[in-house]
Amino acid sequence: MDTLSNYIFPNEFHITWTVMIVLYPYITGMVAGAFIVSSFYHVFNMEKLKTVARFALVSSLAFLLFATVPLLNHLGRPERAFYIMMTPNFSSAMSGFGFIYSFYMIIVVLEIWLSYRVEIIDKYNKSNGIVKFIYLVVLLGNANDNENTRRFDKRLVIALASFGIPVACILHGYVGFLFGSIKANPWWSTPLMFIIFIFSAIVSGLAVLIFLYQFVHWMRKRSIDQDCLDLMAKWLWGFMIIAVTLELMEVLSISYENTERWAILRQLIDGKLKLSYVYLQIGLFSIVPFIMLTITSLSKMKNTKVKNLTIWIASVMLLLQVLFMRWNVVIGGQLVSKSMRGFTEYFPGLWDKEGLIVSFLIILVPFVLLYLFDKVFPFFGEKSH
Amino acid sequence: MEKIERRQFIKLGLFSTAGILVGSFFAFAKTEKDIEVNSYEDLLKFDWGYIVDTTRCIGCGSCVRACKVENEVPEGYFRTWVERFEITKDETVYVDSPKGAIEGFNRDNAQTAEIVKAFFVPKLCNHCYDAPCIQVCPVGASYRSPDKVVLVDKEHCVGCGYCVQACPYGVRYINEEKGVADKCTLCYHRIQKGLAPACVNSCPRNARIYGNLKDPNSEINKVLHQRRYGLLKPDLGTNPKCFYIGLDKEVK
Ligand code: SF4
Ligand code: SF4
């Protein structure tokens, strides 16, 4: 039977999770993705990625530091945030959050510390006074640097990186699971959700690295490590294919099963999400970069300028693709009424506490942080002109 | 002289201490009698259940108004509400619940077609036996009381909203002023004193029945043994404890 009235339960006029909860998986996605890229270099010895390995690692930390900001901004009682670690209820998928997050933070910080140790010792030797002391504290009082310590550090980094890959997957897959395990929500509840989240994380991680790497090099008028960029672009191409295929397969199988669930989701896709899902996420930001990356990956483009620009634009589009994907999952799922008879509305205000300006700032801060870090420890070598 | 004084002083001290102790025992013993707090063992004798008789509801909205006043439910949110279903000759279903039916209903929702069947369905927290809201609460602020009522600890809830997402019935909301999750408590403060929940109390048609499922002679058990009833969204495995008499398949 059809419903003519758009009926939603009276408590559903305001959605519970706002754009802040869209940002959280978006940011952690970049964290996990960037980390996995740096691990490719350390663990699988992909020499070509050496140029971006440390940059990827530090980016990962920059995003990680700010991943919780949107969550805290959203909590009704942010001052109680630590209850999640003090009184965890382990039947809740969310209760592991604090532990996984801190554990991952430790791994990333340790790995950065170890891979920058030689530089810090160098700075320590060259500085005096209070600055020297600060470096000594950062070095935990040990300024030994020789063949042996370097070899040892390297081995530790490899161990941490290989350990970090599953942890990064868990961190992000777990966010997918938070949504996928909600049986009350027809748009979220699917065991595929966490796999989709992992792959889209890698896509956003690769895309943000390509985006920043080229951007920084253009700004500084330096030559690009073409091998490294080509490799990253190919990986991006591969991972985006997997991510988008999974996203589409999920919808395909729901539609093919054609249960009561599809009756409402079909209306969602064809109605409220038509623009952000069908036209933007799938149409513009998946198919177009797919074509662009197919060309740059398969054809031998002589003109590297055009090629690199194409790769850059594709990476920007894929960053937006993942952002739209998060929006369509988080917000889209909440637009469906649990009465299965209608949809609610949501769009963030510009100046709200959880509005667009705040979101924009939260996304921007990690980039500023990266810029500052680069001032102290230049990512791509000292000679920058 | 000095010695005697000291002895008297000690005596005085001992007596007065003893006096205070005995007195306070009395005082405490007295207050213990005054406060009506059921012990844990007492609470275990109860399992509060609820019946909604959809065949009796007339959609007057008294229950919604009573709940709002009794529980200071914030504007725009509801711990209970009433839905109206209108099914027309061509099998189209119209559903509405204007402002949760706090002012009742006036005009028909289906204006043009001929209505062949219409009924009202009050909704509230089902106090599910396998409540997903309790399962997902990361800090354990959503819990089940010993007498099996699903409650939220407002002093502990962090306001993450995960339970709001997990409840399939849309009965939870975040109380924006307090920043914590909120929902029907079955008027826990009232049922502890033997009073009926405000909604049950205010219903002029006795469409709402509450009672102890563990007591074989309770009214609720009698009705459940006599009537046929359904549950909301039984396929989700939440095992709800709110039983709907005369439930139509269109109600979700
Ligand atoms: S109806 Fe919703 S809020 Fe009430 S116990 Fe069930 S899942 Fe929890
Ligand atoms: S909003 Fe409160 S009660 Fe609900 S899941 Fe979060 S902490 Fe638990």
Side-chain angles (χ1 to χ4, degrees), chain B:
Chain B
M1 181 74 182
E2 216 200 347
K3 255 188 180 170
I4 292 171
E5 254 180 25
R6 189 191 270 166
R7 196 178 287 159
Q8 271 179 339
F9 180 74
I10 292 172
K11 242 187 197 170
L12 191 72
L14 273 177
F15 276 128
S16 50
T17 317
I20 289 172
L21 269 177
V22 173
S24 56
F25 274 136
F26 264 104
F28 278 117
K30 250 195 142 180
T31 51
E32 238 168 47
K33 255 183 205 161
D34 279 353
I35 300 175
E36 290 175 45
V37 176
N38 294 324
S39 71
Y40 180 73
E41 282 70 27
D42 282 343
L43 292 178
L44 288 181
K45 292 181 199 130
F46 292 89
D47 176 1
W48 295 106
Y50 204 95
I51 292 177
V52 172
D53 189 342
T54 61
T55 63
R56 296 190 64 81
C57 178
I58 53 169
C60 66
S62 297
C63 48
V64 187
R65 292 188 288 279
C67 176
K68 200 119 206 165
V69 173
E70 179 71 34
N71 298 301
E72 291 167 4
V73 182
E75 184 64 33
Y77 293 101
F78 299 87
R79 289 185 177 195
T80 183
W81 67 91
V82 182
E83 295 171 357
R84 172 174 64 178
F85 284 72
E86 291 164 344
I87 298 164
T88 59
K89 208 168 187 179
D90 60 355
E91 300 269 290
T92 309
V93 187
Y94 292 80
V95 191
D96 68 340
S97 179
K99 288 195 207 154
I102 196 160
E103 292 155 10
F105 297 84
N106 33 49
R107 296 180 330 144
D108 287 349
N109 197 8
Q111 287 290 315
T112 48
E114 188 192 332
I115 298 172
V116 290
K117 183 160 76 174
F119 50 88
F120 298 101
V121 183
K123 292 273 184 82
L124 67 158
C125 172
N126 293 279
H127 297 277
C128 311
Y129 283 117
D130 296 306
C133 56
I134 297 181
Q135 182 190 19
V136 303
C137 177
V139 296
S142 278
Y143 66 103
R144 186 177 291 100
S145 69
D147 42 353
K148 298 220 168 66
V149 179
V150 176
L151 298 171
V152 182
D153 181 349
K154 298 222 164 57
E155 305 299 313
H156 201 68
C157 167
V158 296
C160 65
Y162 204 19
C163 56
V164 181
Q165 307 291 0
C167 170
Y169 307 100
V171 307
R172 283 181 173 244
Y173 54 87
I174 296 288
N175 182 325
E176 278 155 22
E177 195 194 316
K178 296 185 181 142
V180 295
D182 205 357
K183 68 165 194 70
C184 159
T185 61
L186 270 191
C187 282
Y188 200 69
H189 57 292
R190 289 175 62 89
I191 57 177
Q192 289 307 304
K193 294 185 193 151
L195 299 170
C199 50
V200 174
N201 215 23
S202 65
C203 178
R205 294 270 302 148
N206 290 338
R208 293 169 174 254
I209 301 165
Y210 90 110
N212 181 5
L213 295 170
K214 277 192 182 160
D215 173 5
N217 300 317
S218 62
E219 192 201 349
I220 189 167
N221 273 328
K222 278 186 199 141
V223 177
L224 287 179
H225 290 158
Q226 283 163 4
R227 309 291 300 273
R228 298 173 196 175
Y229 55 84
L231 300 170
L232 294 176
K233 304 195 186 195
D235 49 320
L236 290 184
T238 54
N239 224 336
K241 219 170 28 164
C242 189
F243 308 98
Y244 280 84
I245 291 173
L247 190 67
D248 192 90
K249 77 174 175 56
E250 289 301 332
V251 183
K252 281 162 199 146

Side-chain angles (χ1 to χ4, degrees), chain A residues 117-128 131-132 135 139 375-378 382:
Chain A
R117 209 171 154 265
V118 177
E119 271 89 342
I120 305 175
I121 290 173
D122 189 43
K123 295 247 175 200
Y124 165 78
N125 289 332
K126 284 181 190 156
S127 55
N128 355 292
V131 183
K132 193 176 182 101
Y135 279 120
L139 286 168
K375 289 266 156 220
V376 188
F377 297 106
E382 294 275 0

